[in-house]
Amino acid sequence: MNLELALRMTEAAVKQAFREGAAISVAVVDEGGNLVSFQRMEGAEISGPVLAPGKAYTAVALRRPTSELAALTAPGGELAGLAGGRFVCFGGGVPLRSGHATGDRVVGGVGVSGGTVAQDVACAEAAESVWRTR
């Protein structure tokens, strides 16, 4: 992960947010969950600077999209009790893998917050597409 690529990814998420009619915050983190790039659109919710990096961190730490975590973190779920602290367990976070196979190493993540869950996921996937086609 480098800054130039991370900036292109945040721009892709912002462009998708304009198409979606959402005002978002977007964060890109490296494989250690460290912030590389962040953008907040005018009018985005005040929680975005916390939630977007949190979703990106969670996607890296758990090596899966945060949209998969709601059922897993619910009472009785495999990861019950995990939500909270740095872990943000609802849609909008996507891990970035070193290759195309699902078994490849996670080398970063993207997190989006500010729209509906569906809008956040769409914006995160737009950023991820820049990663896949780099």
Side-chain angles (χ1 to χ4, degrees):
M1 176 61 59
N2 63 54
L3 180 58
E4 186 272 330
L5 179 57
L7 289 170
R8 287 189 7 234
M9 292 171 64
T10 57
E11 282 299 317
V14 167
K15 286 179 184 175
Q16 182 64 33
F18 277 116
R19 288 190 288 272
E20 298 277 336
I24 64 158
S25 293
V26 55
V28 176
V29 300
D30 64 16
E31 64 187 320
N34 302 299
L35 189 62
V36 178
S37 176
F38 177 84
Q39 289 191 51
R40 180 180 176 274
M41 295 172 67
E42 185 176 340
E45 298 292 334
I46 65 169
S47 58
V50 172
L51 293 177
K55 289 179 186 185
Y57 173 86
T58 302
V60 171
L62 300 179
R63 298 179 306 281
R64 63 178 71 194
T66 58
S67 59
E68 297 177 0
L69 297 175
L72 294 172
T73 58
E78 185 179 322
L79 300 174
L82 179 69
R86 284 194 74 182
F87 293 101
V88 180
C89 299
F90 46 93
V94 179
L96 305 171
R97 299 185 182 280
S98 61
H100 297 292
T102 57
D104 288 351
R105 186 171 64 100
V106 172
V107 295
V110 60
V112 175
S113 182
T116 65
V117 171
Q119 289 170 327
D120 289 354
V121 169
C123 294
E125 289 174 348
E128 180 193 23
S129 71
V130 171
W131 172 259
R132 284 192 317 264
T133 59
R134 66 189 187 285

